[in-house]
Amino acid sequence: IKRVPTVVSNYQKDEAEETARRSGGCGKNCLRSCCIPGAKLPLYAFKKESEKDAFESENKEPPVAFLDSLVLGEWEGRMQRGLFRYDVTACETKVIPGEYGFIAQLNEGRHLKKRPTEFRVDKVLQPFDGNKFNFTKVGQEEVLFQFEASEDGEVQFFPNAPIDVENHPSVVAINVSPIEYGHVLLIPRILECLPQRIDRESFLLALYMAAEAGNPYFRLGYNSLGAFATINHLHFQAYYLAVAFPIEKAPTKKIITLNDGVIISELLKYPVRGVVFEGGNTLQDLSDAVSDACICLQDNNIAYNVLISDCGKRIFLLPQCYAEKQALGEVSVELLDTQVNPAVWEISGHMVLKRRKDYDEASDENAWRLLAEVSLSDERFDEVNALIFEAIGGGKDAIENVEEPDTKAQSIEKENGNTETSHHAMVAGTQQCLVLQ
């Protein structure tokens, strides 16, 4: 593996180089006003949920296979053109023996000469800064296609569509330093230059992308600032990995059901504490519940990661504090030396290791030790959940029930009948929150 700096675009240069390029003109086919007039990109228009049901009942085939032909096919085309900084398919990968089977990958190309993040790690919300790298600066050859809702209720694909600046297009682009096969970026409303903060519209778009892929091995992830997002321009990540993530195998305990059918559960027997959202009468219901929880965390300056699993039907929300502990000097030198920044993929159990030593010595115990440093304490986790449930529930009227049924584990592969319960009183914290309402 060629050892190169960790960047997401071939145009993510040092600020000095960017300044020099601006003074001499753009010189590349970017997504800014200098290059975008008259530009064309492929466009995939998806059906909104109410239309999707009717579409499926008609047994029509979409004009292009979204995952196999469009995402992965176009991604491989960019690989053949040499746009990636290394061949991720040559990275060594193994499943670590243990209960959940943590996945270890040796990816030495992602850490040497890594540019430090340009943003404070103690502020989840920070204003967009157009002078720093953002996705409007990428070359159009790195963009796979535009992704938006269909206007006429039919799935459509246009191989050469104009970029409608007034329509605020969302795009899917390659990550030139991929973690895994098919690693792409979903950038909602790219030309609006939104900072890295989730809103209802953008999160629903991410769920639609997961649903269009229609494959449980294609997941989307999100990192907030303070939880190892390094670019303050709204984006989700996604890639294809044909095994179950460890977090998907962990048991859960149902906490509440909202009136719209969304079920919120607590993650159990996993090194990082988190909550799981699933169900809902519509995809919009599920999306609104999760996005409202994310907005609550953002507004309270709590860093977090999100994993969108099971074709958009199951979402893991994981508040974390690793960067906070780093800043306070509370992380051991041993863990710091690994240079592993535990973002959404690592927290989900796909450990991207940057040193041969760490890969050779990878163990279930080492994975748990690292991820345990990411997790909130029991007490703080309960406090955060009280905030979340208050923001989502809006009082008792939005809550159908609060209960403690049998614990269950859900996974892509099979049900795990573990019935161990949590050792802290999350339900009590939820009920207290409802009383306060």
Side-chain angles (χ1 to χ4, degrees), residues 317-337:
L317 177 59
L318 304 147
Q320 70 141 297
C321 59
Y322 191 84
E324 178 184 336
K325 287 183 177 179
Q326 276 184 312
L328 295 172
E330 296 177 358
V331 178
S332 70
V333 174
E334 179 186 5
L335 290 180
L336 292 176
D337 284 347

Side-chain angles (χ1 to χ4, degrees), residues 121-344:
V121 300
D122 61 341
K123 290 191 69 175
V124 173
L125 296 180
Q126 299 177 47
F128 180 88
D129 185 346
N131 291 322
K132 295 177 180 177
F133 175 78
N134 64 79
F135 295 113
T136 67
K137 299 181 180 184
V138 305
Q140 292 177 27
E141 71 274 12
E142 294 181 8
V143 179
L144 302 184
F145 54 91
Q146 303 175 73
F147 183 66
E148 63 182 46
S150 173
E151 294 181 354
D152 63 1
E154 292 290 338
V155 173
Q156 293 180 303
F157 178 69
F158 305 94
N160 204 26
I163 300 175
D164 185 357
V165 176
E166 299 300 322
N167 196 36
H168 306 301
S170 300
V171 302
V172 175
I174 60 172
N175 183 335
V176 302
S177 298
I179 288 176
E180 194 45 79
Y181 184 74
H183 194 164
V184 294
L185 306 167
L186 171 65
I187 310 162
R189 312 195 305 279
I190 184 171
L191 301 180
E192 288 189 39
C193 296
L194 303 168
Q196 184 73 343
R197 63 180 299 169
I198 278 179
D199 59 71
R200 279 190 165 192
E201 182 181 349
S202 64
F203 195 80
L204 181 60
L205 185 75
L207 290 196
Y208 270 121
M209 184 172 177
E212 288 298 317
N215 189 310
Y217 296 130
F218 185 77
R219 293 88 161 183
L220 282 86
Y222 176 87
N223 302 316
S224 78
L225 294 180
F228 300 104
T230 56
I231 296 171
N232 190 22
H233 189 175
L234 180 59
H235 66 287
F236 296 80
Q237 301 186 49
Y239 62 69
Y240 180 90
L241 184 67
V243 296
F245 277 7
I247 199 170
E248 294 170 332
K249 301 177 184 179
T252 60
K253 182 178 66 178
K254 179 179 173 182
I255 301 301
I256 59 173
T257 301
L258 305 181
N259 281 341
D260 57 16
V262 174
I263 298 169
I264 306 177
S265 304
E266 177 189 1
L267 192 63
L268 301 179
K269 288 191 65 183
Y270 198 73
V272 182
R273 296 172 183 85
V275 289
V276 185
F277 295 77
E278 56 196 323
N281 298 327
T282 66
L283 194 69
Q284 178 89 51
D285 292 335
L286 180 60
S287 178
D288 287 350
V290 180
S291 55
D292 287 352
C294 294
I295 291 167
C296 171
L297 294 181
Q298 292 166 174
D299 290 345
N300 285 279
N301 199 38
I302 299 167
Y304 66 94
N305 308 89
V306 178
L307 178 71
I308 299 172
S309 176
D310 195 16
C311 304
K313 299 180 184 130
R314 198 165 184 236
I315 297 106
F316 297 81
L317 177 59
L318 304 147
Q320 70 141 297
C321 59
Y322 191 84
E324 178 184 336
K325 287 183 177 179
Q326 276 184 312
L328 295 172
E330 296 177 358
V331 178
S332 70
V333 174
E334 179 186 5
L335 290 180
L336 292 176
D337 284 347
T338 67
Q339 300 184 53
V340 173
N341 293 330
V344 61

